[in-house]
Amino acid sequence: DRRCGGHITIAVDGFTGDELREKIRLNAGIILALFRKRLSNQYCNHNATMLSDMDTSNHVNGYHHKYQLALVKGNCLEFRLPSRFENVKQMMRRYELMYEVVDFSVNNPNGKHTDLLKKIRPLIVSMYSGDEAKADEILRIAKDMREFIKTGVMTEEIRGCFYGM
């Protein structure tokens, strides 16, 4: 129904869900940036820094066995954060985005985050119907989200995303 999210489940041959989460973790800022309005949703915002389930004491927004931003399910990783999609074009762009993020994270583990953002920029522009300024804003927020995932420190710009301000 209208309250449900657009969960995206990914897997990579030869990786467990935990290994995949660790590979993607520092490149997932773009996902948080795109779906930042859902970061205050209690059904998908736990463990916002995507830490291992073994260390539940440091999880931003607490720990929940089910309602995590990126939930490990066996050899898969389910992103619960995305909103439901409303048309085929939106679904296709999300698929392309996840493909690029996973491919970059797995096959270029020492790659620069800025290189990933350059690579996906045309996709983000397409997601916003050619609005270059909006795409630049999303990519700027993605950098802040990456820093948050990495350190747990929020900039003023993203703090409101987590606490509904």
Side-chain angles (χ1 to χ4, degrees), residues 125-142:
V125 170
S126 175
M127 287 175 154
Y128 288 96
S129 303
D131 188 337
E132 304 253 349
K134 185 66 176 173
D136 290 339
E137 175 189 1
I138 295 299
L139 295 171
R140 189 182 69 252
I141 294 169

Side-chain angles (χ1 to χ4, degrees), residues 51-98:
L51 293 171
S52 164
D53 291 346
M54 303 302 274
D55 180 18
T56 60
S57 62
N58 292 320
H59 288 182
V60 173
N61 288 350
Y63 176 81
H64 192 281
H65 71 283
K66 180 178 178 183
Y67 299 131
Q68 296 184 43
L69 185 142
L71 180 65
V72 171
K73 290 186 166 182
N75 288 338
C76 299
L77 183 63
E78 176 190 51
F79 280 92
R80 296 181 56 85
L81 191 62
S83 59
R84 65 184 174 85
F85 62 87
E86 298 177 5
N87 57 53
V88 173
K89 180 185 174 197
Q90 197 177 54
M91 181 180 67
M92 290 170 48
R93 295 300 87 82
R94 288 181 188 185
Y95 173 86
E96 292 166 346
L97 174 69
M98 292 306 294

Side-chain angles (χ1 to χ4, degrees), residues 32-50:
L32 275 69
L34 285 167
F35 304 106
R36 64 196 178 281
K37 292 179 181 170
R38 286 183 44 89
L39 285 169
S40 60
N41 182 323
Q42 67 180 342
Y43 296 109
C44 60
N45 72 352
H46 295 278
N47 190 15
T49 52
M50 298 173 56

